Amino acid sequence: MQDEQLTDGATTARFPDFPADAEYGLLINGQSVPAMDGSTFACVDPFEDREWGVVASGSAADVDLAVSSARAAFERWRSVSPGNRARILLRWAALIEQHAEELARLQVHENGKTITEMQGASLGTAAAASFYASLAANMHGETFESPLPRHRAWTVREPIGVVGAITPWNNPLVLLSWKLFPALAAGNTIVIKPSEVTPLSTLRLAQLGLEAGLPDGVVNVVMGAGAAGKALAEHPDVDKLAFTGSTATGRAIALAGAARFAHVTLELGGKGPHIVFPDANLDRAVEGLVTGLTAGTGQACNAGSRVLVHADIHDEVIERVGRRLSELRVGDPLDPETEIGPLASRPQLAKVTSYFDISREEGHRLVTGGQRASGDAALERGLFVEPTLYAGVDNRSRLAQEEIFGPVGAAMSFTTDEEAVRLANDIPYGLTAGFWTKDVDRVHRLSGQLRAGTVWVNTWRVGGLQLPFGGMKASGVGREMGLNALDAYTETKSVWLGLDS
Ligand code: ADP
């Protein structure tokens, strides 16, 4: 594989800054080290379907070493004043901004998301570092008018200890930033197990942290597959687990944490209902639906993958969305003109195309797409599928109920608000939901009735660090971001002081 890469040169041509034969060690206690058993794995560029990089593949023994290193660093890091922790995070934010293009290109090379989206993601990661720095600088407990005579009472917030963060490939740095920076801001240390699809963007981010002045051992990165994640989740000396990924893996991690009463935050799957009422601004609604279906090539937990359209406007809206989907520019994610890139990995391609077969068997009406992209050698080589929409879908079908994680929509119609809410909530997930209407009563009623951690009205897929993000039901436990984000990375201690007089 390596020889083929070097001789035909395609990888080196697109990414001269990341030579295909470069070696990357685990980051443990500030050092780059090989895996103890010497194993390695390769990344796969999804546009070229081509392997690159020689990445150390950690096992349980490496995880154990990384956790020991984080434990050893904990007492020192927690005693750094919050203001000084904030200073390091701010220096880190500045370095991320300086390296934003490099981090964006690295993520495109790993997961095939468009350069435009990944440039935004790099800046979003820097913004998160600054945001959590400001929370660190403002960390505080509370004092109370004493409930008892001759006593004083107050609370303090203390870091939990060693955090184990297990992260996915679809937005590797942003989704990590919601764990890493609040954990560090609050005085915890961390071991990160990035997805095996996107290991190197996380490694680079951590290296920038060292440059910013992080003491050794505060941030450790163990690359590897699910077994390394499992070892981290089950490690007895990890006090808090923070995970974003599939619901099935989230359940395994929650069970591992429960065995020792570890703190757990989980951000899991979604199958967002995206509802359009006849009084909506249909031009904007159609664009919102297209974004909901295709942002990140549909590989997003906050995708609007169930499209619910009122019967009066159903045919028109479906026709317009189908047309827009078929017109999207599919291509090289490094090209700023590209609107939709490849899927991130070979397993993901196999999964998404399996739903084309399932949809044929279930008998849904194909509006557009429904196959791998073709007609161009580059598209046929890469891990591409056509943006796809099915209509007339039964909400109980697999197409409507299961998270596909690709640009594949399941559309259905409804006639009353009650029916729309019933269909929207009839799903195990509850991460995001949205609707388009100008009726202010409906805005209040439905935003209360929809069972989702985030509800978007007349917009889709917007977010900000000030607002909490997370799911109900099988979409997760706890919230990330928000002004109270450090609560998820601290213990509250109540202190009572008895006075002699
Ligand atoms: P996907 O199937 O989309 O990759 P996963 O939830 O399996 O989603 O992966 C998210 C993260 O969880 C990755 O870093 C992966 O390596 C890790 N992982 C996979 N299986 C396990 C497991 N059993 N325990 C802990 N982490 C795991």
Side-chain angles (χ1 to χ4, degrees):
M1 200 64 200
Q2 295 282 315
D3 287 343
E4 190 201 328
Q5 278 169 346
L6 295 176
T7 47
D8 96 4
T11 295
T12 6
R14 287 175 74 237
F15 290 98
D17 35 350
F18 305 116
D21 55 354
E23 294 180 12
Y24 302 89
L26 311 174
L27 180 66
I28 299 180
N29 202 27
Q31 306 299 313
S32 175
V33 293
M36 279 188 215
D37 65 7
S39 2
T40 60
F41 65 102
C43 299
V44 177
D45 180 294
F47 178 65
E48 299 180 18
D49 191 19
R50 195 182 281 278
E51 296 189 1
W52 66 279
V54 183
V55 185
S57 180
S59 64
D62 302 290
V63 166
D64 190 47
L65 192 63
V67 172
S68 304
S69 143
R71 175 60 62 194
F74 174 57
E75 288 306 325
R76 178 167 168 216
W77 180 243
R78 73 178 298 186
S79 63
V80 172
S81 72
N84 282 336
R85 292 200 295 263
R87 249 177 233 123
I88 292 177
L89 290 183
L90 289 173
R91 276 206 294 271
W92 199 352
L95 283 170
I96 296 167
E97 279 191 16
Q98 277 169 30
H99 292 264
E101 192 62 23
E102 175 195 348
L103 290 169
R105 288 169 54 75
L106 192 42
Q107 290 175 90
V108 174
H109 204 8
E110 291 177 325
N111 70 8
K113 285 203 156 181
T114 62
I115 186 73
T116 320
E117 181 177 356
M118 289 301 104
Q119 282 162 340
S122 296
L123 296 179
T125 304
S130 309
F131 176 77
Y132 293 109
S134 73
L135 295 188
N138 286 294
M139 259 179 88
H140 62 276
E142 292 175 293
T143 56
F144 299 87
E145 285 304 313
S146 177
L148 295 175
R150 294 190 305 283
H151 281 81
R152 294 284 180 268
W154 65 91
T155 63
V156 286
R157 303 211 68 100
E158 297 185 348
I160 300 173
V162 174
V163 173
I166 300 169
T167 52
W169 43 261
N170 60 324
N171 206 348
L173 296 191
V174 165
L175 296 173
L176 171 62
S177 74
W178 302 346
K179 303 164 178 57
L180 168 65
F181 298 128
L184 265 49
N188 304 278
T189 56
I190 194 164
V191 176
I192 306 164
K193 207 301 282 176
S195 165
E196 53 274 43
V197 179
T198 52
L200 299 179
S201 43
T202 295
L203 185 64
R204 187 73 187 112
L205 181 74
Q207 287 165 347
L208 294 176
L210 292 178
E211 261 182 59
L214 277 180
D216 291 347
V218 172
V219 175
N220 305 273
V221 183
V222 179
M223 296 86 81
K230 185 167 185 291
L232 184 58
E234 290 175 353
H235 199 291
D237 207 24
V238 173
D239 304 294
K240 153 110 197 181
L241 293 165
F243 172 73
T244 299
S246 65
T247 292
T249 302
R251 184 173 290 114
I253 288 172
L255 287 169
R260 60 180 189 281
F261 304 108
H263 296 234
V264 176
T265 306
L266 304 171
E267 201 264 90
L268 308 176
K271 188 84 184 179
H274 202 163
I275 311 169
V276 189
F277 290 95
D279 64 341
N281 176 333
L282 288 192
D283 293 342
R284 291 190 54 224
V286 165
E287 286 314 303
L289 290 171
V290 170
T291 303
L293 289 168
T294 60
T297 317
Q299 302 166 118
C301 52
N302 58 11
S305 44
R306 281 186 306 144
V307 174
L308 279 60
V309 188
H310 191 279
D312 289 353
I313 50 165
H314 175 271
D315 292 355
E316 178 196 347
V317 169
I318 295 303
E319 196 271 323
R320 287 178 66 180
V321 173
R323 188 152 23 91
R324 282 282 294 118
L325 290 177
S326 65
E327 288 165 2
L328 288 176
R329 277 191 296 273
V330 182
D332 184 348
L334 263 191
D335 179 348
E337 298 293 308
T338 294
E339 290 173 296
I340 180 157
L343 293 166
S345 69
R346 295 165 184 163
Q348 199 53 30
L349 177 71
K351 181 178 175 191
V352 173
T353 51
S354 79
Y355 279 91
F356 298 149
D357 300 333
I358 290 167
S359 298
R360 263 191 294 279
E361 282 157 27
E362 289 186 333
H364 312 300
R365 177 167 77 80
L366 180 66
V367 178
T368 187
Q371 56 187 5
R372 288 193 64 166
S374 58
D376 166 322
L379 291 187
E380 284 169 16
R381 175 171 186 167
L383 309 180
F384 285 95
V385 294
E386 294 178 348
T388 298
L389 183 64
Y390 294 93
V393 176
D394 177 348
N395 193 49
R396 299 308 307 164
S397 67
R398 289 187 63 190
L399 184 71
Q401 288 288 313
E402 296 176 10
E403 186 181 46
I404 300 171
F405 232 58
V408 182
M412 59 200 84
S413 72
F414 65 89
T415 51
T416 63
D417 288 26
E418 292 69 28
E419 188 187 4
V421 171
R422 186 178 55 73
L423 287 168
N425 287 339
D426 181 16
I427 190 93
Y429 297 110
L431 190 63
T432 58
F435 57 97
W436 298 77
T437 186
K438 292 205 178 116
D439 179 335
V440 83
D441 276 6
R442 182 184 280 140
V443 170
H444 285 275
R445 201 166 8 94
L446 262 65
S447 57
Q449 291 172 340
L450 290 169
R451 295 262 293 139
T454 294
V455 175
W456 288 304
V457 187
N458 298 334
T459 187
W460 189 273
R461 210 169 185 255
V462 290
L465 288 158
Q466 294 78 1
L467 274 87
F469 183 76
M472 298 182 180
K473 304 193 281 183
S475 288
V477 175
R479 294 289 178 269
E480 300 191 292
M481 308 202 285
L483 295 176
N484 298 320
L486 296 199
D487 290 1
Y489 289 90
T490 49
E491 301 267 24
T492 304
K493 182 178 282 176
S494 299
V495 184
W496 288 89
L497 168 68
L499 302 174
D500 287 341
S501 55

